[in-house]
Amino acid sequence: MNQDIYVVIEHLQGQVADISFISLAAARDLAQETGGQAVGVLLGHNVQDLASTLAADGVLYADHPALAEFTADAYQKTVASLIGKNEPRAVFFGNTSIGADVASVLSARLSLPLVSSCVSITGGKITSKICGGKIMAESELAKTTTLITMIPGGYKAEQGQSEQSPDVTSFNVPTLDDLRVMLKQYIQPEAGDVDISKESILVAIGRGIQTEDNIELAEELAELLGGTVCSSRPIVDQGWLPTSRMVGKSGKTVKPKLYLALGISGAPEHVEGMAESEMIVAVNMDPNAPIFDIATYGIEFDFFDLIDPLLELVEAAKRG
Amino acid sequence: MTNIVAIVKMVPDLVEELEINDNGTGLARDWLRLIINEFDNHAIEQAILLKERDGGEVTVIAPEAEGVEDMLFTTAAKGADRMIKLTSDFAEDTNNHALARAFAETAKAFQPDLILTGVQANDDLDGPVGPLVAEYLGMPYVGYISGVMIEDGKAIVRKEYPGGLIGEMEVVLPAVLGIQAGEEPPRYVAISKVRQMMKTTEIDEQEIPELDPSGGARINRMYLPEAAGRAEMITGGEEEIAAKLVEIFKEVGAL
Amino acid sequence: MADIVSTKKAAFTTEFYNSLFEVADGEKIKTCLQCADCSGICPFGYLMDFPPGRMIAWMRAGILDEMLENDSIWMCVSCYACTEVCPKNIPLTPGLMTRAKEELLLAGNIPAELQSALEFSQRYGNSLGESPRKRADWATGLDFEVPIMRTAKRPVDVLWFVGDYASYHPRVQETTKAFAKLLHKLGIDFGILGPEENSDGDSQRLAGERGLFEMLAEKNGKAFGKYEFNEIITTDPHAYNAIKNEYPQLGIEYLVRHYTEFLAEHIEKIKPLLKENRKIRVTYHDPCYLGRANNIYDAPRTLLEAIPGIEIVEMAHNKSTSLCCGGGGGGMWLDGFQWEKGKVRLSDWRVKEAVTTEAEVLVVACPYEPPRFEDSTKTVPGAEKMIVKDILELLVEAMG
């Protein structure tokens, strides 16, 4: 067994997923501990260029037409053969539609221990976050190659990115016949109104927005932040936004990275739909608004006084 | 006609406050309320939908736990044909590898065409159960499924990626699928129907003599994250606040 | 195949019609005049494909099976208006509409919001999905102790059945605390069940879940049976209706009163505690389950009249013609669904009517009402300054 830390890189339609950069950040930390290298494992067909932004000491690349798009069987076989040959100290996967399909199968196939939902790894201590974020669990690297699936929260994607273009070494792909899982086609999400439950940045408006025209301000901000406007029920009731934008008991449940609540009081019927947002920033004139009980950051201020300077600074940040 | 097995487990209900046990390595069980794993519930719905569409049988397998009988009778009221409760020395630290081996053994006997289970559960620490069952049975596994069709001995499935992208995959049967969402939301079943099932049907029990947890992590410590409490208030004039907000936006990657 | 299907459906109509006779006074349905008073007075009748009168007509014609595929019956909020006006005294609300909802539920025809509320009721004993352990948390922070029967371990004079929304909803908790303060001030020996209390189940029953209602009633019956008390008092007209009129059929029989009846009896003790107040013009909303369902109209007014400075003005619809807030019969859990169908809220209509009385305060006596009416005051023109208060809150405020 060598002391290297492998990261199976996830990519879809020409883009490396953030979780892979996050995993690389974790892998670099761990590699320091073990004295090995952080190595990216890239599978695909004619995608070696994707290696260039990886903050890895090296990249192992397997090229095969059967690996052109992700399919469980092909990835499992390829990664299994690599691990079997090289016996790295640990292998990171994203806890995602790509990584989770591979990691667990390999745990059973190769009889290697698996720790999932890892959020950070320090001094060989693996910290996992489970039960809706309510419980933390600590484990450690096993004596054999340990498989780890990562979730975001402990590292930023930038920490796994680099300008330095690591060396890319090819490795042999095993025979990929008799694959039991084949991709027929991709289906793009429908154009038409947004599914707010899939957005990671939400700018939420409540009664405090006062008039339909003011919604434009929220939409401007949302656009600059790469997000979408959603609302509490009264806005939808007025017909100012479609029902698909409603968050709460009578609407959708959302768990975005950022929920910016503008002029929303935080009534239980609304909170029910957004309490699990990763970060909640609430702006409200009422210091007793219940939204402040669940928000990460609270701002007791008139949103209308805030919006112009805010839009200016945000625009500047985007340009600069 | 499809012979389907649905694999289900009970998990901590997050409505209650969770507490750590005296050992510091697991959840305290005194006040712990269990609920069916939400994704397993979707798997059951998908199984029943397939049965209604194509005919066949649905067998539900679940390990013994508080409230599992009520849950199994509810699946029967929805249309499941057979309910199996696994009995064993299930301890607090019975991990998914141990459960998966038990599930695989039991499911094998039914020679299923398709095994459906939730794509994950809130208490998974050694990966989800589905892929492990698949590998122990030598079947292919695809997860994050939100649509299933059976055609000519194959399953055509819709696999979900972030951002709403779907990958339509063809999977050779028999296979295990990790369900993210059933094609319909889990149906409601009137309590009177469940009570009727309790009077007219029976749950089969299957003893699992030995549990093998190898493959799972050893948990050295379990603890509660630091309490969040009330919002951190940001004060100042509009320029100051706006600047702080921009910092926050950068922190979460919105800028 | 088609024959079997149509016979099965026709059989449903006959079966359904016959089952209606089993409800108390259900046989009266045979005497329906088709006068359409019921469909006319129903606040959402114009949005239903099967308002009560039409349902009866189709049943008689043997073609009601289509109702199973129709979802507009979920517009019914069990407000008892139809039952009140029917010239033949047909028990339309409990007998027909509730039975129709039961059939729809069995057929799996149920809006998602309602499904969650029912599943929560079953799992947690309350429709809001809150932890049962926290049911008495509203009482922490009061400067006296609210006795919880399991820890108090002694007989009490009055067992106060609190209810779901009164226990968990932040706005309604204010009313609950007000009653606790009143009981304390009057020196009443009372206790609550706290975490042992389950939802009374009445709205779930009226929403078509008979099995769930019985399960909740059984649990409450068991809890009641453990303790000694002289009577049950409740601040919730729905719980009042359940315990008074429905629980006895399940063998759970206790003397029960609504707080208005109870306090009206103690009015001479209360009056001296009420201080001089500035003049306030108020209007009182008769809750459906206190008023039409149980004929309690005077006690609430007696209490209000006792408060110095209060001037009561009646809305055009009052007492037995009171307009429902829209919360009953599952309405609390059908908001999105009903909004989609009608783009109108019953609570908005009621608040509009309250505005015309030029009252400062809209007074209520049911836990569904404060959140519903307060929401309406935010959007109904002219209602921005209107305050919604329970009688209990006004009493406690007048005590200073």
Side-chain angles (χ1 to χ4, degrees), chain A residues 207 233 237 243 268-269, chain C residues 169 335 339-340 345 375 378:
Chain A
R207 213 182 302 277
R233 205 195 61 206
D237 286 358
T243 324
E269 291 77 26
Chain C
H169 193 289
D335 193 81
W339 175 259
E340 281 302 309
R345 284 206 172 78
D375 268 1
K378 294 175 196 170

Side-chain angles (χ1 to χ4, degrees), chain B residues 157-180:
Chain B
V157 303
R158 293 165 65 100
K159 180 181 172 64
E160 288 198 352
Y161 291 109
L165 180 69
I166 306 266
E168 197 178 69
M169 308 257 180
E170 198 179 84
V171 188
V172 165
L173 295 179
V176 178
L177 300 177
I179 303 292
Q180 167 98 325

Side-chain angles (χ1 to χ4, degrees), chain C residues 32-170:
Chain C
C32 167
L33 301 171
Q34 285 291 290
C35 69
D37 275 6
C38 54
S39 308
I41 201 136
C42 172
F44 276 147
Y46 70 99
L47 292 166
M48 292 182 193
D49 293 322
F50 291 100
R54 188 174 302 154
M55 219 187 279
I56 298 176
W58 284 46
M59 265 192 296
R60 287 174 173 176
I63 51 171
L64 189 61
D65 51 276
E66 285 184 35
M67 175 190 87
L68 281 179
E69 268 128 57
N70 192 287
D71 63 359
S72 62
I73 296 172
W74 294 113
M75 298 306 289
C76 167
V77 292
S78 299
C79 74
Y80 269 79
C82 54
T83 312
E84 181 77 23
V85 299
C86 173
K88 302 305 281 182
N89 291 320
I90 303 169
L92 291 165
T93 307
L96 178 62
M97 300 311 280
T98 305
R99 278 291 297 122
K101 290 179 194 176
E102 279 173 24
E103 290 303 322
L104 256 63
L105 208 134
L106 280 171
N109 176 345
I110 166 176
E113 292 164 83
L114 179 57
Q115 178 171 345
S116 316
L118 295 176
E119 285 170 354
F120 286 156
S121 302
Q122 189 197 350
R123 279 199 64 76
Y124 306 112
N126 67 80
S127 61
L128 301 101
E130 296 283 346
S131 161
R133 287 165 67 191
K134 299 189 177 158
R135 202 171 174 104
D137 281 8
W138 62 265
T140 52
L142 288 170
D143 55 18
F144 57 90
E145 203 188 304
V146 170
I148 299 180
M149 299 307 288
R150 181 156 59 188
T151 35
K153 292 198 197 337
R154 58 176 174 81
V156 296
D157 185 22
V158 163
L159 180 70
W160 172 19
F161 188 93
V162 182
D164 288 357
Y165 282 82
S167 301
Y168 293 109
H169 193 289

Side-chain angles (χ1 to χ4, degrees), chain A residues 125-273:
Chain A
K125 202 170 57 176
I126 306 172
T127 303
S128 297
K129 199 170 180 181
I130 57 170
C131 290
K134 289 184 165 190
I135 298 287
M136 311 294 287
E138 248 169 50
S139 51
E140 62 203 32
L141 288 181
K143 296 201 175 58
T144 57
T145 303
T146 305
L147 309 177
I148 301 174
T149 66
M150 291 288 296
I151 58 173
Y155 306 87
K156 302 211 160 81
E158 292 103 71
Q159 295 170 265
Q161 290 167 332
S162 139
E163 314 261 294
Q164 310 232 332
S165 275
D167 286 333
V168 177
T169 320
S170 291
F171 71 93
N172 286 332
V173 178
T175 333
L176 291 178
D177 304 329
D178 293 330
L179 294 177
R180 301 166 300 175
V181 181
M182 306 288 284
L183 175 72
K184 286 181 74 170
Q185 58 169 332
Y186 284 116
I187 303 173
Q188 297 291 345
E190 269 164 33
D193 203 40
V194 182
D195 181 356
I196 54 173
S197 65
K198 298 205 158 91
E199 295 283 316
S200 64
I201 310 281
L202 287 174
V203 176
I205 53 173
R207 213 182 302 277
I209 202 78
Q210 287 172 22
T211 71
E212 190 171 358
D213 294 329
N214 290 335
I215 299 182
E216 249 168 56
L217 296 166
E219 284 177 338
E220 225 185 294
L221 182 58
E223 201 176 341
L224 288 169
L225 298 176
T228 303
V229 171
C230 64
S231 76
S232 57
R233 205 195 61 206
I235 303 299
V236 171
D237 286 358
Q238 306 275 58
W240 296 350
L241 283 179
T243 324
S244 54
R245 301 295 183 103
M246 183 160 62
V247 171
K249 186 171 203 65
S250 321
K252 293 213 168 102
T253 302
V254 297
K255 299 177 198 185
K257 273 197 314 205
L258 172 66
Y259 193 87
L260 181 59
L262 307 174
I264 290 180
S265 64
E269 291 77 26
H270 182 74
V271 164
E272 194 182 300

Side-chain angles (χ1 to χ4, degrees), chain C residues 174-190:
Chain C
E174 296 305 310
T175 308
T176 312
K177 287 190 243 184
F179 191 54
K181 288 179 189 163
L182 253 169
L183 290 173
H184 182 70
K185 271 226 160 79
L186 294 172
I188 309 282
D189 175 26
F190 75 99

Side-chain angles (χ1 to χ4, degrees), chain B residues 10 13-17 19 31 33-36 70 74 185-195, chain C residues 105-108 110 114-115 118-119 122-124 129-134 150 209 211-212 214-215 218:
Chain B
M10 306 289 282
D13 187 342
L14 304 181
V15 159
E16 303 286 0
E17 300 301 324
E19 283 157 10
W31 286 109
R33 183 187 280 271
L34 298 176
I35 191 172
I36 183 176
D70 279 1
T74 306
R187 65 192 65 191
Y188 184 75
V189 67
I191 296 202
S192 52
K193 270 193 181 165
V194 179
R195 286 179 155 194
Chain C
L105 208 134
L106 280 171
I110 166 176
L114 179 57
Q115 178 171 345
L118 295 176
E119 285 170 354
Q122 189 197 350
R123 279 199 64 76
Y124 306 112
E130 296 283 346
S131 161
R133 287 165 67 191
K134 299 189 177 158
R150 181 156 59 188
E209 246 292 17
L212 175 58
E214 287 177 3
M215 190 191 94
E218 275 162 36

